[in-house]
């Protein structure tokens, strides 16, 4: 029951963030980002991603929140490396199309409106398809000071096979 309440709070928080951000559109936004709810954000390190991915931070862990939240935009072909979260993660897809895959399971297609609830310590990856960008809100819980453990890249052969199905 506690997990359901926490997930509900996280989803409501995310929706409030979206509403607030939408009402504060910046005049400096480019034509490209006018079709997106959030600005593209800062480029994320290639130590964690294959291809180009960007982050707009919403909330960082602090004394009130044991999670972080932000919008991640993946250019076509961009994806995370395999990774785990000690206390899980929730993804809310805002635009585009991509994939989510847990180790040992088939990849799932994800698109605008999909919500992915990733259990704690499950090895997985997510990202855009080869032909579409994808953006999602990521709500990531902490255990102590750890929110993610980065692992090996998703190999190109596996990624290409998923895109060709």
């Amino acid at each position: 029951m506690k997990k359901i309440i926490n997930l509900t709070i996280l989803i409501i928080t995310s929706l409030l963030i979206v509403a607030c951000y939408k009402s504060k559109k910046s005049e400096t936004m480019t034509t490209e980002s006018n079709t997106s709810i959030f600005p593209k954000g800062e480029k994320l390190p290639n130590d964690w991603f294959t291809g180009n991915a960007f982050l707009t931070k919403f909330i960082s862990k602090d004394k009130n929140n044991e999670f972080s939240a932000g919008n991640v935009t993946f250019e076509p072909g961009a994806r995370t490396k395999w990774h785990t979260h000690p206390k899980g993660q929730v993804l809310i897809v805002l635009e585009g199309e991509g994939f989510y895959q847990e180790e040992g399971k088939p990849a799932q297609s994800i698109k605008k409106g999909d919500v992915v609830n990733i259990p704690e310590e499950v090895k997985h990856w997510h990202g855009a398809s080869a032909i579409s960008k994808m953006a999602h809100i990521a709500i990531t819980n902490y255990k102590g000071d750890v929110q993610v453990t980065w692992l090996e890249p998703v190999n190109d052969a596996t990624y290409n096979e998923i895109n060709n199905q």
Side-chain angles (χ1 to χ4, degrees), residues 43-102:
K43 181 155 181 347
L44 290 162
N46 286 97
D47 294 345
W48 305 335
F49 295 83
T50 299
N52 294 318
F54 303 85
L55 173 66
T56 299
K57 290 182 183 180
F58 300 149
I59 299 170
S60 296
K61 179 185 175 200
D62 61 20
K63 66 181 182 174
N64 296 313
N65 301 300
E66 290 294 321
F67 65 92
S68 66
N71 180 70
V72 182
T73 301
F74 296 84
E75 291 184 350
R79 57 201 181 266
T80 67
K81 292 186 175 181
W82 288 98
H83 60 285
T84 63
H85 302 283
K87 294 288 285 177
Q89 182 180 52
V90 174
L91 307 177
I92 304 169
V93 183
L94 300 176
E95 64 179 298
E97 296 179 10
F99 299 99
Y100 166 77
Q101 183 176 21
E102 294 179 4

Side-chain angles (χ1 to χ4, degrees), residues 152-164:
E152 73 277 4
V154 176
N155 69 52
D156 289 339
T158 299
Y159 181 75
N160 292 335
E161 182 181 324
I162 291 164
N163 275 276
N164 293 323

Side-chain angles (χ1 to χ4, degrees), residues 111-132:
K111 63 187 180 322
K112 181 179 180 176
D114 288 342
V115 177
V116 181
N117 185 20
I118 304 164
E120 58 190 37
E121 299 298 349
V122 169
K123 185 175 177 182
H124 68 282
W125 68 271
H126 39 97
S129 75
I131 59 171
S132 174

Side-chain angles (χ1 to χ4, degrees), residues 8-26:
T8 303
I9 290 169
L10 290 175
I11 290 171
I12 290 169
T13 301
S14 297
L15 293 174
L16 289 171
I17 291 167
V18 170
C20 290
Y21 243 130
K22 207 169 183 181
S23 69
K24 288 185 169 187
K25 286 187 179 176
S26 168

